[in-house]
Amino acid sequence: MSYEYATVSGVKEEGRGVRTLWFQWERKVEPGQFVMVWVPGLGEIPLSLSSTDHTKSITIKSFGPVSEAITRMSPGDRIYLRGPYGRPFTRPTGQYLLIGGGSGMASLRPMVGPRAHAIISARSKDDLIFRDAFQPGRVHVTTDDGSEGFKGNTVDFLRTFDLSGFTEIYVCGPERMMFSVYRELRSRQVNARVEFSLERLMKCGIGLCDSCSIGGYQLCRDGPVFSIDELDRMEEFGRSRLVESGRRITL
Amino acid sequence: MSYEYATVSGVKEEGRGVRTLWFQWERKVEPGQFVMVWVPGLGEIPLSLSSTDHTKSITIKSFGPVSEAITRMSPGDRIYLRGPYGRPFTRPTGQYLLIGGGSGMASLRPMVGPRAHAIISARSKDDLIFRDAFQPGRVHVTTDDGSEGFKGNTVDFLRTFDLSGFTEIYVCGPERMMFSVYRELRSRQVNARVEFSLERLMKCGIGLCDSCSIGGYQLCRDGPVFSIDELDRMEEFGRSRLVESGRRITL
Amino acid sequence: MFADLSTEVAGLRLENPLMLASGILDENGYSMLRVLRSGASAAVTKSIGEEERNGYRPPVVHPLQSGMLNAIGLANPGIEEYGHEIEIARRAGKPIIGSIFAPDEAGFSRLAERMQSFGVSAIELNLSCPHVKGVGSEVGSDPVLVKRVVQAVKSVSSVPVFAKLSPNVTDLVEIARAASDADGLVLINTVRAMAVDIRARRPVLSNGFGGLSGPSIKPVGIRCVYEVRKAMDIPIVGVGGISGFEDVVEYIMVGSDAVQIGTALWRNGPGIFSSILCELEKFMEEEGYRGIGEMKGVALQ
Amino acid sequence: MFADLSTEVAGLRLENPLMLASGILDENGYSMLRVLRSGASAAVTKSIGEEERNGYRPPVVHPLQSGMLNAIGLANPGIEEYGHEIEIARRAGKPIIGSIFAPDEAGFSRLAERMQSFGVSAIELNLSCPHVKGVGSEVGSDPVLVKRVVQAVKSVSSVPVFAKLSPNVTDLVEIARAASDADGLVLINTVRAMAVDIRARRPVLSNGFGGLSGPSIKPVGIRCVYEVRKAMDIPIVGVGGISGFEDVVEYIMVGSDAVQIGTALWRNGPGIFSSILCELEKFMEEEGYRGIGEMKGVALQ
Ligand SMILES: Cc1cc2nc3c(=O)[nH]c(=O)nc-3n(C[C@H](O)[C@H](O)[C@H](O)COP(=O)(O)OP(=O)(O)OC[C@H]3O[C@@H](n4cnc5c(N)ncnc54)[C@H](O)[C@@H]3O)c2cc1C
Ligand SMILES: Cc1cc2nc3c(=O)[nH]c(=O)nc-3n(C[C@H](O)[C@H](O)[C@H](O)COP(=O)(O)OP(=O)(O)OC[C@H]3O[C@@H](n4cnc5c(N)ncnc54)[C@H](O)[C@@H]3O)c2cc1C
Ligand SMILES: Cc1cc2nc3c(=O)[nH]c(=O)nc-3n(C[C@H](O)[C@H](O)[C@H](O)COP(=O)(O)O)c2cc1C
Ligand SMILES: Cc1cc2nc3c(=O)[nH]c(=O)nc-3n(C[C@H](O)[C@H](O)[C@H](O)COP(=O)(O)O)c2cc1C
Ligand code: FES
Ligand code: FES
């Protein structure tokens, strides 16, 4: 069986080192699901779909060789991919809030809609992505260096933010950020359904290799989206994870 | 993958050494199709279905070890089988004639209906089967020894038989008999659609081993039912066939 | 009538015949714990060596029409780091079997001793990984080396020792005989195989070739168990392509005492253990088997 | 742009790369004739020995989830009787390749001479049947015997000689090197395998074990061609599990000059040749290949 492939139809610079690539791919994908993208000869990495309509997209930040090669793709190039994989976000039922840190906004992007509100955090102004996708006044920005919006991290902002109007809260970002958001939400009385899209090293994407596991669950199959109640039972969340060899490190 | 199996629900003696075994088997089968019946430890042989309704049956004559073991089965025994295989008879459109020789009547049995007529041939009275399935006057019997009906073989009888009222003629019996029926029909002006159910050694039943082939066609897949026009193009029909080793013998 | 699913293999008592195979959901202790709690009677750890290894870079697995290709490359944290994962997995209160790999008998012995100190109930010698040079099947296809490794590990072990063999050999029975000092054999590891992406024009695995597992190799595994069982009397754990109760029964009928399941977790997740157990019990009741022992080897006559 | 499907392997010119594999629809000359007229570029005969053999009693094949198990048992009418079938098949005007088996080089040489007298375009040495004692893979797993057989047949042959090898060996490259005096290699024969019927409690094949073919073994065949192609420069015919144009391309990309198709005739009949050819041509045009040679070995870098 060969990989499926799609041809890149458009590319957009979203922020520092972050690009969106559009392509046609005849698969039904739900927001929160991901694909494994293969760069022949180089490697394969998991990427969320930042657009799940008929035209699909990935939004990618260059970290290492594979992600870099993908950001360098141009229209006409082939993307080899398999998927979609994983359990998607549940659908919102009222006014809902997206909390995104860094390139974590990529997986939240398909959740943008008329009833969406957002807190977008980044190190600096140039790292902010997708803030223009929201209606003015519904998006709150925080930067570590204060170059735009609130100066400080997500949780600093969240502490003073009223959550009572939301029926759902969706969170995606670096694990340290998600862990502090988790603790903040647990310390408050929150009635919304809260879901986190986690990240772990992924080698297989299909529930065999165990490299993405957390608390006995495979992120690639049982996640990457988990409810806050599920996180309660995961001793590893925010505390430790396995590196490439399987060695456990503390976060 | 294991064999399917069915449990024998009834057994009936049809004639000398010929028995019908009934069983429930949840497969759709068309008249003319066959199954491969496996007797574990002994062997596997092709058998036509003599009844293709919800309750299925096979009608079998004991020739060698496998067929003998099958005739010895009793209610409650398991029949291991695979199939159904092969191309069935086409459906009749008017008054039609069945020409059956010996246990060849087994595959014609499911074709019996209100518009069916038959010529049934056998060596002797005791070898005749299924003559009671037809309305009186619509069935003609021939025996080699004259112990019942017309004395002589099928073709001797056929020569004087008016075929003009039939829209279809279906033939099954020993190849020598079918070959003479074929020549007789070709020598006359016959407007009916004529189909023959052939017999050859079968090892695989699924078009791989070549032991059942005739004129480049696999009896198990492309047959066992062939139209008279298809037989015209088969140099082997009535002339030669391969034995177990693949050696060609003349008939 | 009730069917008793418990079994015993080389002195290891198992509540049912289904174990987790090495290398699948057993890098992280919490995963093994979950698999055990989902019904597996024991878990074999992923194969652990003396030093930390990252394995090959992805793609390391590739799903095929009726099987799975993998070349993980024996990624493992090294024996010292792995003790913690076993500790987590042991919370299930079921046997953990430590799988180890090394290039020679000295390495195997050191690993076996350390594994025992972590409290494993048995040792599995991986003599059969088809895609890493110098270990695995390069060791496992040399009868002299196999004999030395098995004897060395046996001499330092107080728990049962299993030798996991490769089907990628001309004469499996010869290797099985060489391994006969083990308490049991595990048959089979993956079949050396490969796939190419015809549009990318490249092998799909970063390592080029890898090992084939899943339904495609079940008939090979059945043949291997049958062949060895006919030749010698030694406990056997059957593995390769099991995805339903029929496969379990088939392995037992050619003489396996227990089985392992790996690739089938792909489509079915850890829930596969309880669903197979349920159907296995039903089958045994229907066919009149009161225990696993009554099915064992019935197809060998 | 039009794609040219013709190819050449060891001096044998073929109108396309798809041949009929040995043992499938090639007992009866009329069947070969039909397969050739359905688009196959050449037909390999079933393996013929010196004496008539009935083979095993049915069941001799057993369809599996994603493959086929068979133990026909080298049924054949004996070389003298088979000439007539070749005569019929030759009416197609395409190459017929005579497959032969024997226990030693003297038998192989006699058979090769007789085959040539029937007008075959090449000889294929079956050194790889996995289920008949004394011939087949028992010959084909002994490098010394392989070398002797190949040299003996070469010395009496004026047509190309192919050696068909088994994947059931520890070191295929060693055997391939031993066979390197042949004009080409055919890789692979079936994989030794077995299946048991769990209700009948018996092996399904009358012979017990047999050979696995079909999609299940394609990744093994691809690996074998790749492995041998990396090690040596010799024409290779790829076979094992081909059922669509993708499989053909995959075999060519790892270095096959042509391929053979067997089991796929099961579901698709001889019509499979023309349908694969049609899709192969389309693929080549889409991907910009003008001829088979341009695809050959592109995955080897
Ligand atoms: C379910 C899932 C969805 C994902 N979706 C996206 C997405 O939509 N967009 C996207 O850009 N990324 C996404 N990622 C992360 C992405 O897969 C990694 O960034 C990628 O694997 C890096 O691979 P690489 O080979 O390029 O770099 P590597 O060689 O693996 O890494 C280079 C360096 O960057 C560090 N690094 C790698 N990834 C990250 C990271 N995510 N955060 C911080 N440091 C990192 C490494 O530790 C290393 O030091 C997702 C991950 C998962 C598990
Ligand atoms: C498509 C198809 C449908 C068939 N349907 C039926 C059916 O409905 N009922 C039925 O009884 N048989 C049927 N047959 C024939 C049946 O398969 C054979 O009789 C059977 O294979 C005999 O096997 P055995 O192992 O018992 O005997 P064997 O050991 O194979 O044969 C014993 C002896 O009997 C001879 N013999 C075997 N079969 C026949 C035969 N059919 N006619 C004359 N001599 C024979 C042999 O040459 C041998 O000498 C069918 C065959 C085919 C190809
Ligand atoms: C992803 C993956 C990783 C594996 N890793 C190991 C391993 O580390 N050690 C080992 O002995 N076998 C390993 N195997 C082989 C399995 O334990 C098992 O023998 C093989 O997959 C056949 O069983 P299955 O078809 O049920 O998967 C691995 C198999 C897979 C699919
Ligand atoms: C029913 C059957 C009979 C076979 N007979 C022979 C044979 O006589 N000689 C031989 O060299 N290979 C024989 N083979 C092996 C095939 O030629 C081929 O190598 C193998 O089946 C793999 O190809 P496939 O997957 O396309 O079938 C046979 C295979 C099958 C399925
Ligand atoms: S990435 Fe392999 S189990 Fe999730
Ligand atoms: S019985 Fe084998 S091809 Fe028909």
Side-chain angles (χ1 to χ4, degrees), chain A residues 119-144:
Chain A
I119 302 171
I120 303 184
S121 306
R123 252 178 233 163
S124 181
K125 188 179 194 295
D126 297 339
D127 300 313
L128 289 165
I129 58 173
F130 298 137
R131 68 174 166 311
D132 302 337
F134 298 87
Q135 294 174 32
R138 293 199 158 184
V139 58
H140 308 271
V141 163
T142 87
T143 53
D144 295 351

Side-chain angles (χ1 to χ4, degrees), chain C residues 40-53:
Chain C
S41 62
V44 186
T45 70
K46 82 178 318 186
S47 295
I48 305 295
E50 296 200 85
E51 305 295 335
E52 180 174 13
R53 274 178 68 101

Side-chain angles (χ1 to χ4, degrees), chain D residues 21-24 47 70 126 164 188-190 213-214 239-241 261-263:
Chain D
S22 178
I24 294 94
S47 295
N70 95 79
N126 181 350
K164 182 168 180 182
I188 56 175
N189 211 313
T190 53
S213 61
V239 51
I261 301 180
T263 302

Side-chain angles (χ1 to χ4, degrees), chain C residues 153-210:
Chain C
V153 173
K154 269 302 285 178
S155 74
V156 301
S157 300
S158 54
V159 296
V161 175
F162 291 92
K164 182 168 179 182
L165 303 184
S166 167
N168 306 296
V169 293
T170 308
D171 186 351
L172 177 62
V173 171
E174 180 192 16
I175 307 292
R177 290 221 170 88
S180 61
D181 292 319
D183 299 286
L185 301 179
V186 179
L187 305 170
I188 56 175
N189 210 312
T190 54
V191 177
R192 251 171 89 91
M194 181 173 183
V196 162
D197 187 286
I198 60 169
R199 291 197 176 74
R201 307 171 189 196
R202 279 197 168 263
V204 285
L205 296 177
S206 70
N207 185 53
F209 62 90

Side-chain angles (χ1 to χ4, degrees), chain B residues 53-205:
Chain B
D53 303 332
H54 183 68
T55 298
K56 311 282 189 299
S57 71
I58 49 179
T59 298
I60 180 164
K61 172 148 183 185
S62 170
F63 277 109
V66 185
S67 49
E68 211 230 305
I70 297 172
T71 54
R72 269 191 278 105
M73 285 186 168
S74 343
D77 286 349
R78 280 182 185 170
I79 302 185
Y80 294 95
L81 74 182
R82 56 192 174 96
Y85 295 125
R87 191 169 61 161
F89 292 113
T90 55
R91 292 178 185 269
T93 58
Q95 299 289 319
Y96 57 97
L97 177 67
L98 309 177
I99 305 180
S103 54
M105 272 309 291
S107 77
L108 294 174
R109 178 66 185 78
M111 297 296 287
V112 176
R115 292 180 297 177
H117 301 246
I119 302 171
I120 304 182
S121 307
R123 249 175 237 164
S124 181
K125 189 179 191 300
D126 296 340
D127 300 312
L128 288 166
I129 58 174
F130 298 136
R131 68 175 165 309
D132 303 337
F134 297 87
Q135 294 174 31
R138 293 200 159 186
V139 57
H140 308 270
V141 163
T142 86
T143 52
D144 296 352
D145 63 2
S147 51
E148 186 170 328
F150 176 91
K151 179 172 192 302
N153 66 27
T154 320
V155 176
D156 296 334
F157 177 83
L158 204 57
R159 279 204 191 94
T160 63
F161 192 70
D162 178 15
L163 296 171
S164 60
F166 301 116
T167 50
E168 289 86 13
I169 300 173
Y170 305 96
V171 191
C172 185
E175 187 150 329
R176 204 197 293 254
M177 167 270 210
M178 287 197 283
F179 190 58
S180 36
V181 169
Y182 163 81
R183 283 196 305 196
E184 169 64 14
L185 295 179
R186 272 299 179 229
S187 74
R188 286 159 69 173
Q189 183 71 355
V190 175
N191 293 318
R193 175 178 171 85
V194 186
E195 293 183 344
F196 291 77
S197 177
L198 305 191
E199 213 180 293
R200 278 286 184 278
L201 179 75
M202 277 191 188
K203 289 185 177 178
C204 76

Side-chain angles (χ1 to χ4, degrees), chain A residues 204 208-209, chain C residues 20-24 26 44-48 60-61 68-72 74-75 99-101 124-129 131 164 186-190 211-215 217-218 239-243 251 260-264:
Chain A
C204 77
L208 283 179
C209 76
Chain C
L20 176 69
S22 178
I24 293 96
D26 49 10
V44 186
T45 70
K46 82 178 318 186
S47 295
I48 305 295
V60 289
V61 304
M68 185 65 65
L69 204 57
N70 94 81
I72 300 282
L74 294 174
S99 171
I100 55 179
F101 72 92
E124 186 174 291
L125 308 174
N126 181 349
L127 300 169
S128 44
C129 173
H131 50 72
K164 182 168 179 182
V186 179
L187 305 170
I188 56 175
N189 210 312
T190 54
L212 183 64
S213 62
I217 69 165
K218 192 197 62 178
V239 50
I242 293 175
S243 65
Y251 269 105
Q260 296 175 359
I261 301 181
T263 302

